[in-house]
Amino acid sequence: MRDLFEGLDDPVGSVPHPALNSVDELLALLERWVERDWLRALDRALVVFLHREVQDAPPLLLLAAALASHQLGRGHVCLDLATTLAAPDLALSLPPEGDDLNDPPPLPSQVLGSLTQQAWQAALAHPVLIEHGVTEGSGTTPLVRRDFAGTTRLYLRRYWQYEQDIRRQLSTRLEQPSRAQPHAHANVSSALPAALEALFPSAQPETLDWQKLACALACRSPFAVITGGPGTGKTTTVVKLLALLQALQLGEKESERPLRIKLAAPTGKAAARLNESIAKQVEELDLHSLASLGSSTSGKEPSVDRLRQAIPTQVSTLHRLLGSRPDTRHFRHHAGNLLPLDVLVVDEASMVDIEMMAALLNALPSRARLVLLGDKDQLASVEAGAVLGDLCQYAVSARYTPATCDWLKQMTGAAIPTAYQAKDGQALDQAITMLRVSHRFDANSGIGRLAQAVNRPLDESHGPADKRRAVRKVFKSDEQHKSYVDISQLRLENADDPALARLVVNGNPGGFPNHGQGRHDRQGQLLAPPTGYRHYLETLAAKRPPPSATLERERPLFDAWALDVLKAHGSFQLLCVLRKGPWGVEGLNPRIARALRRATLLEAGNHELEHGWYEGRPVLVTRNDYSLGLMNGDIGITLALPNPQAPARKLLRVAFSANDGSGRIKWVLPSRLQAVETVFAMTVHKSQGSEFTHTALLLPDAPNPILTRELVYTGITRARHWLSLVESGRGMLDDAVTREVTRISGLGQLSSTRGSSTSGGF
């Protein structure tokens, strides 16, 4: 972090800063931090409120409250005193985008340089403001203190309560015996091996199939996590799991009602993607062998059609599932009004924040099965918490107990390797499966190799220098190292480097071996060379309906046109890290639009390109709009339609896919879209849940705390067939891959203590 503040005075001092002893000085300091966007106005407002209500609150307590509040905006659930004192400048949003650090206020390291943890802990003892040592979060103080493992953590009470709710709900589920499940009767265990074999036929029964193992463990437990990288088959696995659960249910003598199953995802885009993927897989899934098993166990055979119809394909957002209510954080479904379901599958669970996870678990019936699906190594949620990452801390090593290994041997026929066994494995470990075989990226894939090199954590045997070498080696091509045909590296000299325009317009195929020609996918299909935004804009022009056609009379013709344009737009996407500055979306979007206009692919004036509507403008929905049926993350393209009343003028409409596999298009007036932004450039955070044929990942020209291993990994794995890695500053890739996200939360601590009696672990 020190490289972000080069040239500033040494922040460490021995004289206590006045703000540590005076509330007035503290409020003045916080105001300066707010003015520079180092601190949120909301965080200072909390201090003002606490001081007004409890005037004898010491400055150190109020400062801790401000920092605890600020951590929520940075993804942390609480303030850790030891961590903060070890690296004080990480406690604020430093440096904010666009801040040149001229004439800065005192840095946190200057303010806290003389403070000891013992002195800070002593100040966090006000009985009106802070409850100390609670176990269930049942008090009324606005702050909660928790001492643990040589440090102190300070929470806003609401977030302490979220952690307690999640811990309690998951612990209860993990303690439930399998017989408590509504469809886990005596004959299920006898039927499960044959059912698994029907879904996962194998010529070598002894071979470990992680997808098969995931289905078995998810049948065994009322709570399950299935994690894995891109292309490891998470969606395929969950489709087979749902077929398995329904087959076991419909084959029971005691029950003929199919399980009530719901599928959900955090964002509209993630929901739409899962909807399309799962619908296709359900349609193609061979269920004959599975359906026939019913007659051998219960004398009753569910029909293939009935079994297929019992597997849901519609996916909703979590907000819609829970029933969001306007102008409130509360939902229609909660502990007093539970969701009417037997099984819930949540995709892209890495994007679910702690507040949403607590609300979801509280609204879930105790006998319902919950399955979380996601990549534990992707970026965590934008809001506070990293629930999936916290739960999956031991997913790589698995840690299955002897009892679990014996059960899996009986159910799947495969022995669990010693490396994945642990006598002290906890209940949570037995509910987690990590898929380890990529079906998208093989040994010849540079994208896969780069993602693997970036994602490898730092440890004693693999330090920062080793990691940087491993990442750079993927791009190296000489007699010792083969060249990967699906990745390209591009260096920009400045924001006006014409190489950026060549990339976004044409895709820079010359940066790939053989210009991207002659490459086939894993199914043997010839792939088109990498392209830029020219492809979708030329598709827009080439497939435009004739001038005599109108949307009212020839709707299918216009829907087909829009669908072709939307599909072509998914062939390329530029991803970036920041929102502000020349290398953020605010600077890149107008530059890209002007480059496309120079290439005669767009027709619009400067004002329209930056502030208005024009044909070809791609937009990203940034907030759910249930009245229009549009979800956060949906992408639409602005198209010009014939105007029957004034043929010389065109009507602009924004076309969105209905995302239900029907091929339907939603045509929306631009004036009705209140929460959209141009998306020639998209942040990596916004891209989660999406894939693009050719992805260009642009790194900024200076270090930034949000530029981390997880962000680079997430950006890389948005690429389906082609990846261009673009660096605007020397060494930014090296800097990013050796900086890891560390989200502070007690949930992670609970998981990592291996069930300690003092922690209440899983």
Side-chain angles (χ1 to χ4, degrees):
M1 190 66 181
R2 294 292 302 154
D3 56 349
L4 301 178
F5 306 104
E6 290 179 0
L8 298 179
D9 294 336
D10 187 350
V12 179
S14 58
V15 178
H17 192 278
L20 302 184
N21 298 307
S22 166
V23 173
D24 290 339
E25 291 283 353
L26 175 64
L27 291 174
L29 173 65
L30 298 183
E31 182 60 33
R32 291 194 65 191
W33 283 352
V34 170
E35 289 173 355
R36 296 298 288 258
D37 289 332
W38 292 8
L39 190 76
R40 302 178 301 176
L42 175 68
D43 308 323
R44 185 182 185 277
L46 173 65
V47 172
V48 172
F49 169 77
L50 294 178
H51 177 58
R52 185 176 67 241
E53 297 298 316
V54 184
Q55 295 191 0
D56 65 341
L60 279 176
L61 186 156
L62 297 175
L63 174 60
L67 295 179
S69 173
H70 189 66
Q71 299 319 295
L72 297 174
R74 303 180 64 244
H76 304 297
V77 176
C78 55
L79 175 74
D80 185 290
L81 298 194
T83 300
T84 301
L85 290 175
D89 293 330
L90 292 177
L92 297 184
S93 298
L94 295 171
E97 296 176 29
D99 192 335
D100 58 9
L101 295 177
N102 289 329
D103 187 29
L107 295 167
S109 50
Q110 293 172 294
V111 176
L112 302 176
S114 64
L115 184 63
T116 65
Q117 183 171 317
Q118 291 74 20
W120 210 355
Q121 287 172 325
L124 304 183
H126 200 292
V128 178
L129 294 179
I130 295 181
E131 188 165 359
H132 184 197
V134 296
T135 57
E136 291 298 329
S138 57
T140 58
T141 61
L143 302 170
V144 173
R145 170 182 170 175
R146 174 74 181 272
D147 294 336
F148 183 83
T151 187
T152 291
R153 288 179 170 174
L154 186 67
Y155 293 80
L156 271 63
R157 175 168 291 279
R158 184 152 51 89
Y159 286 85
W160 167 261
Q161 189 62 57
Y162 294 150
E163 275 194 2
Q164 300 310 301
D165 288 347
I166 292 173
R167 180 194 63 78
R168 174 174 46 81
Q169 291 278 2
L170 293 186
S171 295
T172 299
R173 290 178 182 281
L174 292 169
E175 291 166 1
Q176 287 183 21
S178 60
R179 64 177 180 272
Q181 293 303 295
H183 46 285
H185 300 287
N187 70 323
V188 167
S189 292
S190 60
L192 188 56
L196 286 169
E197 187 60 29
L199 284 169
F200 299 94
S202 173
Q204 298 177 318
E206 300 276 330
T207 302
L208 186 63
D209 185 329
W210 287 102
Q211 294 185 19
K212 186 176 183 179
L213 183 145
C215 285
L217 288 178
C219 282
R220 184 180 187 231
S221 171
F223 172 69
V225 178
I226 301 174
T227 186
T232 52
K234 294 185 292 295
T235 305
T236 300
T237 302
V238 83
V239 169
K240 292 185 176 182
L241 171 62
L242 298 182
L244 178 62
L245 292 173
Q246 289 291 26
L248 295 175
Q249 170 79 356
L250 296 175
E252 290 291 337
K253 292 181 179 179
E254 295 86 350
S255 174
E256 294 184 358
R257 177 183 64 82
L259 294 170
R260 296 168 299 174
I261 301 176
K262 294 289 186 181
L263 309 174
T267 67
K269 184 65 177 179
R273 182 180 166 206
L274 178 62
N275 188 82
E276 293 179 353
S277 176
I278 211 165
K280 180 180 179 182
Q281 294 203 36
V282 169
E283 183 63 29
E284 296 176 350
L285 188 62
D286 184 0
L287 297 172
H288 289 83
S289 298
L290 187 62
S292 66
L293 294 173
S295 58
S296 62
T297 59
S298 64
K300 176 181 175 185
E301 179 178 336
S303 71
V304 171
D305 289 341
R306 188 184 183 207
L307 182 55
R308 197 181 305 278
Q309 290 170 5
I311 305 173
T313 57
Q314 294 300 311
V315 187
S316 76
T317 63
L318 290 173
H319 283 85
R320 176 167 282 181
L321 175 75
L322 291 173
S324 59
R325 296 160 57 188
D327 304 319
T328 177
R329 313 177 77 99
H330 303 293
F331 296 99
R332 184 164 54 86
H333 289 288
H334 45 74
N337 182 29
L338 298 175
L339 289 162
L341 51 79
D342 300 311
V343 180
L344 175 62
V345 175
V346 179
D347 192 26
E348 297 290 353
S350 63
M351 300 168 65
V352 181
D353 60 87
I354 190 171
E355 181 177 2
M356 175 59 77
M357 186 61 75
L360 186 67
L361 287 167
N362 284 332
L364 202 62
S366 60
R367 291 170 61 85
R369 189 184 302 273
L370 175 63
V371 180
L372 300 182
L373 207 64
D375 186 345
K376 69 179 181 63
D377 297 311
Q378 277 192 194
L379 280 170
S381 62
V382 175
E383 305 298 330
V387 179
L388 186 69
D390 287 340
L391 296 177
C392 292
Q393 289 188 48
Y394 295 91
V396 174
S397 56
R399 300 183 62 84
Y400 297 133
T401 63
T404 297
C405 294
D406 290 345
W407 184 85
L408 286 171
K409 172 73 172 176
Q410 296 174 25
M411 296 299 110
T412 68
I416 304 301
T418 305
Y420 302 124
Q421 299 182 29
K423 292 182 179 180
D424 62 343
Q426 300 300 302
L428 177 62
D429 300 324
Q430 316 315 302
I432 296 175
T433 311
M434 180 175 173
L435 306 182
R436 302 163 193 266
V437 180
S438 177
H439 302 282
R440 184 193 304 173
F441 304 129
D442 57 21
N444 296 318
S445 169
I447 298 173
R449 289 285 180 164
L450 182 61
Q452 186 179 46
V454 167
N455 197 40
R456 180 173 175 178
L458 298 173
D459 54 36
E460 293 181 358
S461 64
H462 190 71
D466 300 311
K467 186 165 191 177
R468 287 192 288 267
R469 281 193 296 269
V471 169
R472 292 295 179 185
K473 181 179 177 182
V474 179
F475 292 101
K476 192 173 181 180
S477 176
D478 55 30
E479 293 181 358
Q480 284 78 35
H481 305 96
K482 65 181 295 184
S483 175
Y484 293 105
V485 299
D486 56 344
I487 58 174
S488 171
Q489 193 172 25
L490 180 64
R491 296 187 183 275
L492 303 178
E493 295 300 326
N494 51 58
D496 297 319
D497 193 323
L500 177 62
R502 291 195 294 270
L503 172 67
V504 298
V505 174
N506 299 314
N508 190 34
F512 295 84
N514 199 33
H515 292 257
Q517 299 283 348
R519 183 176 165 226
H520 295 76
D521 64 15
R522 299 189 70 174
Q523 286 71 46
Q525 298 293 317
L526 182 66
L527 295 173
T531 186
Y533 290 128
R534 175 185 293 277
H535 177 53
Y536 93 88
L537 291 168
E538 288 184 340
T539 300
L540 185 159
K543 298 197 174 183
R544 185 191 304 277
S548 59
T550 64
L551 181 64
E552 292 75 16
R553 293 198 307 266
E554 286 111 339
R555 177 67 178 265
L557 182 64
F558 282 87
D559 281 3
W561 172 47
L563 205 60
D564 286 338
V565 175
L566 286 165
K567 182 179 178 181
H569 180 266
S571 296
F572 176 77
Q573 182 64 56
L574 179 72
L575 302 181
C576 60
V577 176
L578 309 175
R579 290 202 57 81
K580 298 180 181 179
W583 301 112
V585 293
E586 293 181 6
L588 287 166
N589 274 314
R591 292 215 307 279
I592 294 171
R594 289 193 293 271
L596 293 170
R597 183 176 61 185
R598 289 194 300 271
T600 68
L601 295 168
L602 292 178
E603 295 181 7
N606 289 332
H607 180 78
E608 290 175 302
L609 286 181
E610 296 196 27
H611 306 290
W613 290 93
Y614 51 89
E615 186 173 41
R617 180 191 179 193
V619 294
L620 177 77
V621 176
T622 59
R623 187 173 65 241
N624 292 345
D625 188 332
Y626 294 107
S627 65
L628 295 176
L630 298 176
M631 299 292 109
N632 180 18
D634 284 350
I635 290 179
I637 307 293
T638 311
L639 300 175
L641 307 182
N643 187 343
Q645 282 72 41
R649 301 181 62 185
K650 298 292 185 180
L651 299 173
L652 290 182
R653 297 291 185 271
V654 186
F656 294 90
S657 171
N659 290 324
D660 58 3
S662 65
R664 293 185 302 109
I665 294 293
K666 298 175 184 177
W667 297 91
V668 183
L669 279 166
S671 60
R672 297 194 64 190
L673 295 170
Q674 303 302 313
V676 295
E677 58 186 31
T678 303
V679 71
F680 289 121
M682 177 192 297
T683 63
V684 175
H685 279 88
K686 290 286 187 181
S687 75
Q688 287 185 266
S690 301
E691 288 181 359
F692 310 98
T693 305
H694 178 196
T695 297
L697 175 60
L698 172 61
L699 304 183
D701 62 345
N704 193 289
I706 68 173
L707 186 58
T708 62
R709 165 178 71 92
E710 291 81 358
L711 184 140
V712 174
Y713 170 78
T714 301
I716 289 169
T717 54
R718 299 312 91 201
R720 187 181 300 116
H721 295 309
W722 307 101
L723 172 71
S724 294
L725 184 75
V726 188
E727 289 190 88
S728 56
R730 298 292 185 257
M732 290 306 100
L733 179 62
D734 290 344
D735 183 75
V737 299
T738 53
R739 182 186 294 127
E740 300 180 355
V741 170
T742 302
R743 288 213 166 172
I744 300 171
S745 80
L747 189 61
Q749 198 74 18
L750 291 173
S751 177
S752 64
T753 54
R754 317 309 305 156
S756 157
S757 60
T758 60
S759 72
F762 299 113

